[in-house]
Amino acid sequence: MQTKKKNTMRSPEEKETIILEYLNDQRPSYRKTADKYVIASSLFKKWKKAYLEFGIDGLRSQTGKTSHGYNHL
């Protein structure tokens, strides 16, 4: 079994590929898919929800974003 990696950043395209694999599975399982790609199942659920609501734009990282569009020091 693979060990969990901390803070692995994935591109929106990588996330979309994982979600589409899950959606096309005849017997989809959050845990099975999350374990295969070494991500938390709760995080995968968030990706799926965002993807279904907003498409690939919902999978773009919001890290470092502020409501003002720039970071305050």
Side-chain angles (χ1 to χ4, degrees):
M1 179 173 209
Q2 298 176 351
T3 58
K4 299 228 178 202
K5 293 182 180 179
K6 186 176 179 182
N7 295 330
T8 300
M9 295 295 293
R10 296 186 192 269
S11 71
E13 294 78 17
E14 289 174 303
K15 294 174 186 177
E16 181 181 43
T17 298
I18 294 167
I19 292 165
L20 291 175
E21 179 181 314
Y22 167 85
L23 293 174
N24 289 319
D25 193 336
Q26 290 181 357
R27 296 180 62 188
S29 162
Y30 284 115
R31 179 164 293 201
K32 181 177 80 172
T33 303
D35 286 349
K36 179 178 178 180
Y37 292 99
V38 193
I39 56 176
S41 59
S42 59
L43 177 60
F44 178 65
K45 288 177 186 179
K46 289 178 185 178
W47 289 357
K48 180 184 161 260
K49 181 179 180 185
Y51 181 75
L52 292 176
E53 190 168 342
F54 301 108
I56 197 164
D57 287 336
L59 301 176
R60 301 203 188 284
S61 175
Q62 297 300 311
T63 303
K65 303 284 184 186
T66 66
S67 61
H68 302 290
Y70 56 90
N71 291 323
H72 292 282
L73 294 177

